[in-house]
Structures are given as structure tokens and as C-alpha cells.
Amino acid sequence: HQCPALVDHIDAVQSVHGLDAAVDHVIIPLLAALAEHEFPECVRQTTKLKHDADLTNPALWFPRARTLTRTLHFHMGPTNSGKTFQ
């Protein structure tokens, strides 16, 4: 092993919290740090792509449109009854 302290830490996390926790809290952060060091441009592009493709909060996409005052008109009646005729 190149780094026995790291291996011991991974083993300790795995023995207490399970393999998933060791992967989530130790191994993935180490791989992310390695990727940022070795491939900074690729990480930057991937981060930008993830940000640009984020569809979780559409209210933030058009802030000016959210400030407009709108009026809603509801026309009720049977089909072809001239509800919107002026």
C-alpha cells in the first residue's frame, strides 16, 4: 500500500458505516480531488454543463418575467358560443 493511514481510514469507515459510506465519504471525495488536480479543464467544463442543464428551478430562468403583473381572464361557456368574440 502506498498510504497505510488512508487504507486504515477507509477500513474504519467501512467497518462502522458500511461500504456505501466508505465510498461516499472517503473514496469519491478523493477521486474528485484527483480529477480536479489532474484534469482541471475537464472538471470545469463538466461543472458548467451540469449548471447549464439544471432544470430544478425554472422560476430563476426568467427573473424579469416573474416581476410582471398579469391579469387572468376566464371565459366559460359551451363550445363555439363566442366566448372571446369582441
Side-chain angles (χ1 to χ4, degrees):
H1 297 288
Q2 294 292 330
C3 185
L6 176 60
V7 172
D8 290 344
H9 180 64
I10 292 171
D11 287 343
V13 171
Q14 180 179 347
S15 67
V16 173
H17 301 287
L19 180 59
D20 289 342
V23 170
D24 291 345
H25 299 291
V26 180
I27 296 172
I28 290 179
L30 285 172
L31 289 174
L34 176 65
E36 288 174 352
H37 181 266
E38 295 293 323
F39 311 103
E41 182 60 22
C42 183
V43 171
R44 187 192 67 72
Q45 289 175 358
T46 303
T47 302
K48 183 180 182 325
L49 181 62
K50 180 181 175 188
H51 176 269
D52 292 346
D54 181 11
L55 302 177
T56 57
N57 198 348
L60 297 178
W61 301 346
F62 304 100
R64 185 169 185 295
R66 301 286 295 169
T67 65
L68 297 175
T69 302
R70 301 166 193 266
T71 304
L72 179 66
H73 299 274
F74 179 68
H75 301 275
M76 184 174 158
T79 304
N80 296 327
S81 64
K83 293 180 290 292
T84 58
F85 178 78
Q86 294 187 9

